[in-house]
Amino acid sequence: MLLLRGGRRRAEGRPPGPVSWAAGALTAVGLLLPLSPVGSLLGLTPLPALYYLLRAAVLALYTTGLMAVRARQGQR
């Protein structure tokens, strides 16, 4: 969702807003918490490395598709 909304801010050269910063912080916490000692205290276990590779592939495909649609809409 942030890719859909955040593109306009970047295109206009404006810095990311508080929602983008909060989403980035929550993403970092979500990725790092299971790897930390606090995560093990909470019963969290790290996901397999294959999960992160597949997730990165899906996000890359989503971003590529989104950019293609935006470029096509910009031509109209």
Side-chain angles (χ1 to χ4, degrees):
M1 294 302 286
L2 289 176
L3 287 174
L4 293 172
R5 299 209 29 116
R8 177 176 285 173
R9 292 184 75 91
R10 258 188 229 116
E12 294 172 353
R14 297 188 319 203
V19 173
S20 296
W21 286 111
L26 287 173
T27 300
V29 168
L31 289 172
L32 298 175
L33 185 62
L35 303 173
S36 72
V38 176
S40 62
L41 290 174
L42 295 173
L44 302 175
T45 57
L47 294 169
L50 180 62
Y51 168 80
Y52 293 108
L53 292 172
L54 292 174
R55 184 169 134 180
V58 167
L59 289 175
L61 288 171
Y62 175 74
T63 303
T64 302
L66 182 62
M67 291 172 62
V69 169
R70 280 192 175 170
R72 188 170 182 172
Q73 292 291 337
Q75 291 176 354
R76 292 183 183 183

